Amino acid sequence: MDKSDLRIVFFGTPEFAVASLDRLVSEGFDVAAVVTMPDKIAGRGHKLLESDVKKYAVAKGLPVLQPEKLKSPEFIDQLRNINADLFIVIAFRMLPETVWAMPRLGTFNLHGSLLPKYRGAAPINRAIMNGETETGITTFFLKHEIDTGDMIEQRSTPISDDDNVGTVHDRLMEMGADMVVSTVNSILDGSLSTRPQPEGEFIAAPKIFKEDCRIDWTRDAVTVHNQVRGLSPYPAAFTTFEDKEGRRFDAKIFLTALTGRDAGNSVPGEIVIDGKRMYIGASDSQVEILSLQPAGKKRMGTSAFLLGYHPVKAL
């Protein structure tokens, strides 16, 4: 079968999925339809927000499906009528079996981790927050339990001390586009081989909620630093500052540095100002704050922040 004869339905929503969709289109694969989340109404102007995948698909003239319910008879009929050979899923909702079992060549997913580690919705964030020094991407065929199917390909990349979730996300996004095309080609030319995921290495990567973003200064400095890295630039870790008058305000923290200052004598949440630099105590040493954003303001460096704010404690 030639690649132009392989009918593909692509499922995805965020920017992470767009790179792979673009590679498939640019290399001449027949993307017969794109399935993405329904538009959302947001903001004071009640504007309709379209997913990144939808914006790309519309610009390229690809048919777009936006089902409210993946099990609806209307949507199932639409998919069947496309008569696709292969489904590809990247950063989308969990599919019911009636959907993923439909194409004759199966349904594969691109996941942003070295499975079976970091199964779940936030694998890149969780890997960095946990201090991992390596992560990667995996393609695998879907089955009943989420992120558990037989693996097709897997590639790794180091996580450097300077990486945050933004830099790793972008690197994995480009690696993923390469691997999606490689996986499809292996299906086409018959060289495909799969292997089951190894047992006993599972680590959960649940969705990030607001409570995951609040910094707990009673934790050690490395844990705080990794939390900031794993949530920067989005959704961003945050803390509540208190000034000497007792006024409180929240601020997102985007960039920190490990200092080793006051090791063994650090007071959690205590703020030390040294000229244009600011340090906050964790349980074992002080963490330097390098970039932050007070609520309602723009992101700024610490020296600019200290011109208008005089915090004495982080809560």
Side-chain angles (χ1 to χ4, degrees):
M1 178 188 290
D2 186 79
K3 64 182 177 182
S4 62
D5 297 324
L6 179 75
R7 290 177 64 79
I8 296 170
V9 174
F10 185 93
F11 296 72
T13 296
E15 180 190 13
F16 189 82
V18 173
S20 293
L21 177 57
D22 180 57
R23 282 291 302 278
L24 291 167
V25 171
S26 63
E27 296 211 9
F29 290 98
D30 179 13
V31 180
V34 171
V35 184
T36 191
M37 294 285 281
D39 298 343
K40 294 181 179 179
I41 298 176
R44 294 178 181 176
H46 299 287
K47 293 181 179 179
L48 278 178
L49 293 181
E50 299 177 332
S51 74
D52 292 325
V53 163
K54 180 183 177 181
K55 291 175 184 175
Y56 175 88
V58 169
K60 293 294 184 179
L62 302 174
V64 177
L65 303 178
Q66 295 179 275
E68 291 284 350
K69 296 181 179 179
L70 297 176
K71 291 183 178 180
S72 73
E74 179 184 6
F75 174 60
I76 298 299
D77 286 345
Q78 286 177 314
L79 281 181
R80 285 205 179 99
N81 289 337
I82 293 169
N83 195 29
D85 303 294
L86 178 71
F87 290 172
I88 300 173
V89 183
I90 304 176
F92 193 69
R93 291 181 280 175
M94 186 175 179
L95 297 183
E97 184 174 359
T98 51
V99 172
W100 59 256
M102 190 181 297
R104 66 181 185 86
L105 295 177
T107 299
F108 79 80
N109 178 268
L110 172 71
H111 187 73
S113 82
L114 296 173
L115 288 174
K117 289 185 174 182
Y118 298 102
R119 292 174 180 157
I124 308 174
N125 302 89
R126 299 291 181 181
I128 299 172
M129 291 168 74
N130 287 349
E132 299 282 1
T133 57
E134 181 184 51
T135 187
I137 47 173
T138 307
T139 51
F140 66 97
F141 282 112
L142 292 192
K143 57 184 275 189
H144 292 286
E145 298 81 11
I146 189 167
D147 297 340
T148 62
D150 289 349
M151 297 188 296
I152 307 167
E153 290 191 56
Q154 194 166 69
R155 299 177 189 175
S156 64
T157 184
I159 301 174
S160 74
D161 293 340
D162 295 329
D163 272 323
N164 61 22
V165 71
T167 59
V168 176
H169 168 280
D170 291 352
R171 194 155 69 244
L172 293 183
M173 180 171 66
E174 295 305 322
M175 289 172 60
D178 289 340
M179 201 164 78
V180 163
V181 170
S182 172
T183 298
V184 176
N185 282 331
S186 72
I187 292 171
L188 268 178
D189 65 21
S191 64
L192 175 78
S193 63
T194 63
R195 65 187 189 280
Q197 295 187 31
E199 298 292 332
E201 297 181 23
F202 165 70
I203 299 176
K207 182 179 177 180
I208 300 293
F209 292 98
K210 186 174 182 179
E211 55 265 32
D212 297 305
C213 299
R214 177 177 285 281
I215 298 172
D216 179 357
W217 297 103
T218 65
R219 293 179 173 180
D220 64 87
V222 169
T223 298
V224 170
H225 179 63
N226 287 339
Q227 179 185 11
V228 171
R229 294 169 60 224
L231 296 170
S232 180
Y234 182 83
F238 76 96
T239 193
T240 300
F241 286 116
E242 183 176 284
D243 65 17
K244 57 186 177 182
E245 282 79 34
R247 292 174 298 207
R248 296 181 177 183
F249 62 94
D250 289 344
K252 294 179 178 180
I253 309 295
F254 294 103
L255 185 61
T256 56
L258 297 171
T259 67
R261 280 174 52 115
D262 213 20
N265 298 304
S266 179
V267 177
E270 181 181 68
I271 293 176
V272 176
I273 308 296
D274 184 359
K276 296 181 179 180
R277 304 175 79 168
M278 179 170 69
Y279 305 88
I280 303 180
S283 67
D284 58 347
S285 62
Q286 293 174 353
V287 176
E288 184 173 8
I289 309 301
L290 300 173
S291 177
L292 67 169
Q293 181 179 9
K297 304 294 183 180
K298 293 183 179 180
R299 178 174 173 173
M300 61 188 75
T302 297
S303 59
F305 169 78
L306 293 175
L307 293 174
Y309 297 89
H310 307 283
V312 296
K313 187 186 299 182
L315 305 173

